[in-house]
Amino acid sequence: DTAVSQTPKYLVTQMGNDKSIKCEQNLGHDTMYWYKQDSKKFLKIMFSYNNKELIINETVPNRFSPKSPDKAHLNLHINSLELGDSAVYFCASSLGQVGYTFGSGTRLTVV
Amino acid sequence: KNEVEQSPQNLTAQEGEFITINCSYSVGISALHWLQQHPGGGIVSLFMLSSGKKKHGRLIATINIQEKHSSLHITASHPRDSAVYICAFMNRDDKIIFGKGTRLHILP
C-alpha cells in the first residue's frame, strides 16, 4: 500500500550507459515531480507533470527525459550517464499544491 | 541574493528544548512547505501554509506573508526529531524553490 514507490532504490552503473528510474503513485494525485538531491543534500526540482503535460522543466541537461505513460506514473530516463549525475533522485506527487508525498529515493552512482 | 534563506544551518539541542527554525524568502509566493528528511534519507511533507499557523502534534508552523517569513517550532523536542528540516515554496512563476535545510540534532 506504498503511496509513492520508486524503483530501484540503488543503481550503480558505468559512465555512458542509459538507465531509467520508475515512479508510481496510488494516491490519485494529479501532479508528479522529480527532484535531484546533490552531495550537499540540496534539493532541486527537475521536472513536474500535470495531467501528462510538462509544466516545469528546470535547466537540466536534455540527457534527462521524463516519461509519463499515465497519471500514476512518471519515469525518469537518463541517457549517456556522467559522473556528475551521481545523486539521490526523489519522485513526489501532489494534488494541486496539497498532499505532497515523496518516494524513498533512488541513489544513483555512476562509476 | 538567494530567494530563500533558512536559519540556523545546524542546531544541536537537549531533549525537551523548544526548537525554532526560520525561513525567510524574498519573492511573492502562493504557499510554503516544511519538509522533514530523516537520517535514512526519506522525505516527509510536514505542513503546507499560505497564511497563519498550523499545528500537528508537537510541531507548529507559522507564516507571516507581509514579513515574508515562516517558522517551524518543535515543542518538547525528542531525539527522534533529529533530521534535516527544509522549507520550500512555489514562486509566482510556478518554480519550486528549496531552502538549504537545517540539520537538527537532539541529544538525549
Side-chain angles (χ1 to χ4, degrees):
Chain A
D1 59 346
T2 304
V4 179
S5 62
Q6 290 180 232
T7 54
K9 286 189 180 233
Y10 300 95
L11 181 55
V12 181
T13 187
Q14 289 189 319
M15 280 175 57
N17 283 350
D18 302 339
K19 289 292 177 186
S20 291
I21 307 172
K22 295 184 177 180
C23 180
E24 176 182 3
Q25 55 94 5
N26 62 5
L27 298 165
H29 285 171
D30 59 5
T31 308
M32 295 183 72
Y33 311 81
W34 276 105
Y35 300 89
K36 179 180 179 181
Q37 187 172 44
D38 61 23
S39 57
K40 294 182 180 176
K41 305 293 186 185
F42 189 48
L43 273 169
K44 186 174 180 180
I45 182 106
M46 298 178 73
F47 303 103
S48 73
Y49 256 74
N50 181 305
N51 292 325
K52 300 177 84 170
E53 288 185 62
L54 183 68
I55 58 173
I56 301 176
N57 185 352
E58 290 293 302
T59 54
V60 297
N62 57 15
R63 297 181 295 104
F64 290 78
S65 54
K67 297 191 193 302
S68 180
D70 55 57
K71 208 166 76 165
H73 296 83
L74 182 65
N75 303 323
L76 182 64
H77 190 75
I78 316 169
N79 290 326
S80 303
L81 277 155
E82 299 178 358
L83 292 176
D85 298 332
S86 296
V88 180
Y89 292 84
F90 285 94
C91 175
S93 70
S94 69
L95 186 64
Q97 277 211 58
V98 299
Y100 273 84
T101 306
F102 283 79
S104 56
T106 295
R107 183 174 294 277
L108 171 65
T109 303
V110 182
V111 297
Chain B
K1 183 179 189 297
N2 290 334
E3 288 180 279
V4 60
E5 298 282 350
Q6 264 189 255
S7 62
Q9 287 189 349
N10 294 283
L11 177 57
T12 299
Q14 289 293 140
E15 183 174 356
E17 284 190 43
F18 181 81
I19 304 297
T20 296
I21 299 170
N22 296 300
C23 178
S24 295
Y25 52 93
S26 58
V27 298
I29 67 170
S30 51
L32 184 140
H33 299 260
W34 281 101
L35 310 173
Q36 179 193 52
Q37 185 168 28
H38 286 284
I43 299 176
V44 174
S45 178
L46 299 174
F47 295 104
M48 188 196 76
L49 293 165
S50 51
S51 64
K53 174 178 166 179
K54 285 190 177 178
K55 184 175 190 291
H56 182 72
R58 293 179 296 105
L59 300 177
I60 303 165
T62 63
I63 189 167
N64 185 319
I65 298 293
Q66 287 74 30
E67 294 186 5
K68 293 187 167 55
H69 182 268
S70 177
S71 292
L72 177 69
H73 306 286
I74 306 174
T75 61
S77 59
H78 189 276
R80 65 174 174 265
D81 298 325
S82 298
V84 176
Y85 293 84
I86 303 166
C87 71
F89 60 85
M90 185 171 281
N91 66 13
R92 298 263 165 88
D93 296 324
D94 285 342
K95 188 174 164 184
I96 297 177
I97 310 292
F98 290 92
K100 294 196 173 180
T102 294
R103 189 175 298 277
L104 175 66
H105 187 204
I106 303 296
L107 300 171

